[in-house]
Amino acid sequence: VQLQASGGGLVQPGGSLRLSCAASGRQISRLSVGWFRQAPGKEREFVAAIRWSSSTTYSSNSRKGRFTMSRDNAKNTVYLQMNSLEPEDTAVYYCAAQTGSPIVSSLYLEDKYDYWGQGTQVTVSS
């Protein structure tokens, strides 16, 4: 499985961006996909995830309501819609995928992911 993340860029505070994670080698409908991010000088952290069998977005409390995920099976792509962006959201964003039927708690743990894409830079600045 190969993952290709894209859609990053420069956006003003309060703006929106949609990141894409395109998969090849496996149908994305059979993958649980997560997004993580890493800001300069900080550890990588969980952003949001969607389980293979569900359309529910799991995200940390600080991002609930601002970040949502969706999938387009025809394009074999998962999206991360980010609204009301803040300067603190500036980071390199990575998408990752798990195979099998992970339990919800494993979606939050980066060491449970089998495949990783390259990062895409998101910069929130005026």
Side-chain angles (χ1 to χ4, degrees):
V1 177
Q2 292 187 323
L3 303 174
Q4 179 77 33
S6 62
L10 174 64
V11 63
Q12 292 189 340
S16 299
L17 272 179
R18 188 178 77 162
L19 304 184
S20 300
C21 179
S24 59
R26 183 154 319 180
Q27 291 180 335
I28 207 159
S29 60
R30 304 296 297 176
L31 296 172
S32 297
V33 178
W35 287 92
F36 292 78
R37 70 186 187 187
Q38 188 166 23
K42 295 187 177 181
E43 293 188 353
R44 192 156 58 185
E45 64 175 352
F46 172 79
V47 175
I50 187 169
R51 202 160 174 260
W52 72 274
S53 58
S54 169
S55 60
T56 300
T57 300
Y58 298 93
S59 61
S60 64
N61 288 334
S62 65
R63 287 177 275 280
K64 268 189 172 58
R66 295 197 300 126
F67 291 7
T68 57
M69 291 182 65
S70 61
R71 63 174 81 233
D72 185 334
N73 292 337
K75 294 183 178 179
N76 223 35
T77 299
V78 166
Y79 302 100
L80 176 68
Q81 178 68 42
M82 304 187 295
N83 299 325
S84 302
L85 284 164
E86 304 166 351
E88 293 73 23
D89 295 316
T90 295
V92 177
Y93 284 71
Y94 299 88
C95 65
Q98 294 188 30
T99 57
S101 300
I103 57 176
V104 170
S105 59
S106 74
L107 298 176
Y108 294 79
L109 305 174
E110 64 176 276
D111 62 355
K112 299 295 186 183
Y113 285 82
D114 305 300
Y115 305 98
W116 289 81
Q118 91 295 356
T120 185
Q121 176 71 48
V122 171
T123 303
V124 184
S125 175
S126 55

